[in-house]
Amino acid sequence: MFDKYRIVKILGSGGSATVYLARHIKLESFRAIKCIRKDNPFYKDALREAYILKNLRHSNIPIIYDIEEDPRCSYIIEEYIEGESLKSFRLNHRFIQESIIINFSMQICELIQYLHKNEKPILYLDLKPENIMVSNHTLKLIDFGTAVYFKEPEKYTHTVGTKGYAAPEQYKKGKIDERCDVYGIGMLLFYLVTGRTFDWKINEFKNIDKVSNCSKKLKGIINKCLKYYPSHRYQSVLHLYNKLSEIRQNSLAANLLKSDKSLTVSLAGSQNRIGTTHTALLITSYTNKYVANSIYMEQNDHRVVKSIIQRYKNVKEKRHIYTLFDCNMTEVQELDKELLKNYQIIVKDFGVLTQENLIDFLDGNIRILILGAKEWELSNSERVLNELIEYKDITYLFNFVDGKVFREAVKSMDGKNCSRIPYVVNPLKITHNESISELIKEILGHSYFNRKKSKIFKFIYQRIRSYTVDQEKGLLGEEKPDINT
């Protein structure tokens, strides 16, 4: 075909196209070729899909390589996705762990947020399991046949979407906006949890509340997504993503502590002198004082720990671990595992993010990247963002920016989890600060602050609950009691 491809087999056939598996003769790699007959009544819609896709670049969207044609047909040559549909995945699993459901739904949220915030915003409008491929636990959205540009009202004059998955207003000529896709994500969540679709005529929302393999918080999210009236749903995919992220962070923190493992927090910066070490020490000091035993581990060659212990006289040292004010720290990059068992939170400072330390950085349970937003910092910020474009679950912190600059920076982050670092003079000596508390909660998840069962969680819960009273009495300067006694 076109002196480039050899057809291997038919992958599928539908109302608008036949899809072939082909091998590129010279590159010896597989391609999916979608053949659309020009006399097909859906020809223009199918071709419009290709032109939408060719301008999109996202890890969850197949790449469009080329468009060919002959007198009878047009051919869209795109990336071949090896895997199974989300529908097949669900049918092959009687039960799916909630962590996998959260992971899948957050991937979809990131993708839909990317479409909504595109230069020409796009509404997908037909989220269903058949349109999603699962390839090594990465989801790929493969059918954009009903996708429309947000500013094309003429596209809304007819019904779009698949019944059982699309929002009710898509069938009643109501207002079509991003809340339709919020409903679609909710429907996917409903399907992944229950294995069936939702039908307004035969089902009620309370059915999801009867499912045993679903947490109360996830049920609440699904119920809110599937509200009949758009104004009652989450008003943006970003809002939904943040709610799912809270569940994931809480679950991660709780599971790690239940298993007596340490939580590793990796930090890196887009450039030197962007505040990576300051932030790492701040997180270590705050969590060590108010949350759980924490230690700072220097994973770069800046020798900050050595400078600190030379400058201060009241540093305590035991087995290469130094304690100053509220912070435990070490310059040993590979500390003895028996020593590390004494710390529930390990904060690793990798300095500037490079190809050499990228893998170690990504190995952390929680990954934090420090960015700059000033004009002379943007090129470095863009560099590291491009390096991390395929990686999920990274928290991005902006340093040395005011509220206005921060809000402008967040607009360009495609819905990524972003926060602003609060100003703290001395990161080694902490006083309780509401903005720091909110930042730590967002980073670690609320599980650290809400559980009561173990001594450490009981202590944390009581400290957070009584912090307002303590603050008024001036008691927050007290040292953290030994929770192991």
Side-chain angles (χ1 to χ4, degrees), residues 46-247:
L47 210 57
R48 182 179 56 84
E49 172 191 359
Y51 284 105
I52 288 177
L53 278 171
K54 76 180 181 67
N55 294 318
L56 301 177
R57 289 292 181 270
H58 193 280
S59 58
N60 299 109
I61 299 176
I63 299 169
I64 296 289
Y65 293 109
D66 205 353
I67 298 176
E68 302 277 4
E69 64 176 298
D70 61 25
R72 295 188 308 111
C73 302
S74 287
Y75 304 86
I76 304 169
I77 294 91
E78 59 186 68
E79 178 186 3
Y80 169 60
I81 308 299
E82 192 170 3
E84 60 181 331
S85 71
L86 189 60
K87 182 176 182 179
S88 296
F89 182 90
R90 182 63 183 86
L91 292 174
N92 292 332
H93 294 78
R94 187 177 64 85
F95 167 78
I96 301 179
Q97 293 181 3
E98 184 167 307
S99 60
I100 295 176
I101 293 174
I102 295 293
N103 177 281
F104 282 178
S105 56
M106 288 179 70
Q107 287 187 53
I108 292 296
C109 282
E110 286 184 347
L111 170 55
I112 299 301
Q113 174 73 2
Y114 165 77
L115 297 178
H116 289 178
K117 298 301 180 183
N118 196 43
E119 185 177 353
K120 292 181 68 176
I122 296 168
L123 300 175
Y124 186 77
L125 301 179
D126 196 24
L127 282 166
K128 59 181 178 180
E130 294 91 334
N131 287 352
I132 300 170
M133 293 291 290
V134 183
S135 178
N136 295 322
H137 281 272
T138 296
L139 302 189
K140 299 276 188 176
L141 202 53
I142 59 173
D143 190 334
F144 278 68
T146 58
V148 293
Y149 290 113
F150 186 74
K151 294 182 180 179
E152 289 185 352
E154 70 276 5
K155 300 296 180 184
Y156 310 145
T157 57
H158 61 280
T159 299
V160 293
T162 302
K163 286 190 175 181
Y165 292 100
E169 61 269 25
Q170 292 178 232
Y171 306 104
K172 298 179 179 296
K173 295 185 178 180
K175 182 181 179 182
I176 306 295
D177 58 26
E178 62 185 287
R179 294 172 296 183
C180 295
D181 284 336
V182 169
Y183 184 98
I185 297 170
M187 193 60 252
L188 283 177
L189 280 165
F190 186 94
Y191 176 76
L192 287 171
V193 171
T194 65
R196 53 194 173 89
T197 58
F198 184 88
D199 189 333
W200 274 93
K201 295 180 180 179
I202 62 174
N203 291 318
E204 297 179 2
F205 282 123
K206 66 181 181 181
N207 284 352
I208 190 65
D209 296 324
K210 297 178 181 178
V211 177
S212 58
N213 62 316
C214 183
S215 68
K216 185 176 180 180
K217 287 186 176 180
L218 183 56
K219 290 176 184 177
I221 287 174
I222 295 172
N223 279 331
K224 190 170 180 67
C225 287
L226 296 179
K227 293 296 185 184
Y228 183 86
Y229 296 105
S231 60
H232 295 172
R233 301 174 201 151
Y234 295 109
Q235 297 303 290
S236 71
V237 174
L238 177 58
H239 191 185
L240 168 58
Y241 176 89
N242 289 337
K243 290 297 180 182
L244 292 167
S245 181
E246 283 182 16
I247 295 180

Side-chain angles (χ1 to χ4, degrees), residues 385-425:
L385 285 170
N386 287 330
E387 290 176 0
L388 296 172
I389 193 168
E390 294 185 4
Y391 300 101
K392 315 294 183 184
D393 302 324
I394 295 175
T395 297
Y396 297 89
L397 300 184
F398 286 89
N399 206 7
F400 310 126
V401 295
D402 58 24
K404 182 179 179 181
V405 173
F406 174 67
R407 288 189 292 273
E408 288 299 317
V410 169
K411 288 180 183 178
S412 65
M413 293 294 288
D414 294 328
K416 294 181 175 65
N417 187 23
C418 301
S419 291
R420 183 162 55 127
I421 301 171
Y423 176 71
V424 176
V425 176

Side-chain angles (χ1 to χ4, degrees), residues 161-358:
T162 302
K163 286 190 175 181
Y165 292 100
E169 61 269 25
Q170 292 178 232
Y171 306 104
K172 298 179 179 296
K173 295 185 178 180
K175 182 181 179 182
I176 306 295
D177 58 26
E178 62 185 287
R179 294 172 296 183
C180 295
D181 284 336
V182 169
Y183 184 98
I185 297 170
M187 193 60 252
L188 283 177
L189 280 165
F190 186 94
Y191 176 76
L192 287 171
V193 171
T194 65
R196 53 194 173 89
T197 58
F198 184 88
D199 189 333
W200 274 93
K201 295 180 180 179
I202 62 174
N203 291 318
E204 297 179 2
F205 282 123
K206 66 181 181 181
N207 284 352
I208 190 65
D209 296 324
K210 297 178 181 178
V211 177
S212 58
N213 62 316
C214 183
S215 68
K216 185 176 180 180
K217 287 186 176 180
L218 183 56
K219 290 176 184 177
I221 287 174
I222 295 172
N223 279 331
K224 190 170 180 67
C225 287
L226 296 179
K227 293 296 185 184
Y228 183 86
Y229 296 105
S231 60
H232 295 172
R233 301 174 201 151
Y234 295 109
Q235 297 303 290
S236 71
V237 174
L238 177 58
H239 191 185
L240 168 58
Y241 176 89
N242 289 337
K243 290 297 180 182
L244 292 167
S245 181
E246 283 182 16
I247 295 180
R248 182 169 188 163
Q249 291 287 69
N250 292 345
S251 176
L252 172 64
N255 288 339
L256 282 169
L257 284 175
K258 277 194 291 186
S259 64
D260 294 324
K261 292 182 180 179
S262 298
L263 184 76
T264 301
V265 182
S266 296
L267 287 95
S270 57
Q271 64 183 70
N272 283 314
R273 305 186 67 82
I274 199 66
T276 306
T277 297
H278 184 98
T279 306
L281 291 170
L282 170 64
I283 292 172
T284 306
S285 300
Y286 189 93
T287 54
N288 186 60
K289 185 171 184 178
Y290 295 116
V291 181
N293 290 340
S294 307
I295 186 170
Y296 167 91
M297 295 187 69
E298 194 170 33
Q299 305 290 299
N300 57 71
D301 57 4
H302 295 169
R303 308 188 75 178
V304 169
V305 172
K306 185 173 183 178
S307 297
I308 290 173
I309 61 179
Q310 288 177 343
R311 186 175 183 83
Y312 290 89
K313 295 181 180 180
N314 54 336
V315 178
K316 299 177 183 178
E317 187 271 336
K318 185 177 181 180
R319 300 179 69 180
H320 304 294
I321 296 175
Y322 303 92
T323 302
L324 176 64
F325 302 126
D326 303 310
C327 189
N328 302 310
M329 66 193 90
T330 182
E331 57 186 340
V332 180
Q333 295 192 7
E334 294 292 336
L335 202 62
D336 184 86
K337 290 183 179 180
E338 288 301 314
L339 287 176
L340 286 178
K341 285 183 179 180
N342 297 319
Y343 301 96
Q344 286 77 41
I345 300 173
I346 299 170
V347 181
K348 293 187 175 183
D349 174 8
F350 289 93
V352 178
L353 186 67
T354 64
Q355 288 297 323
E356 287 71 30
N357 62 24
L358 177 60

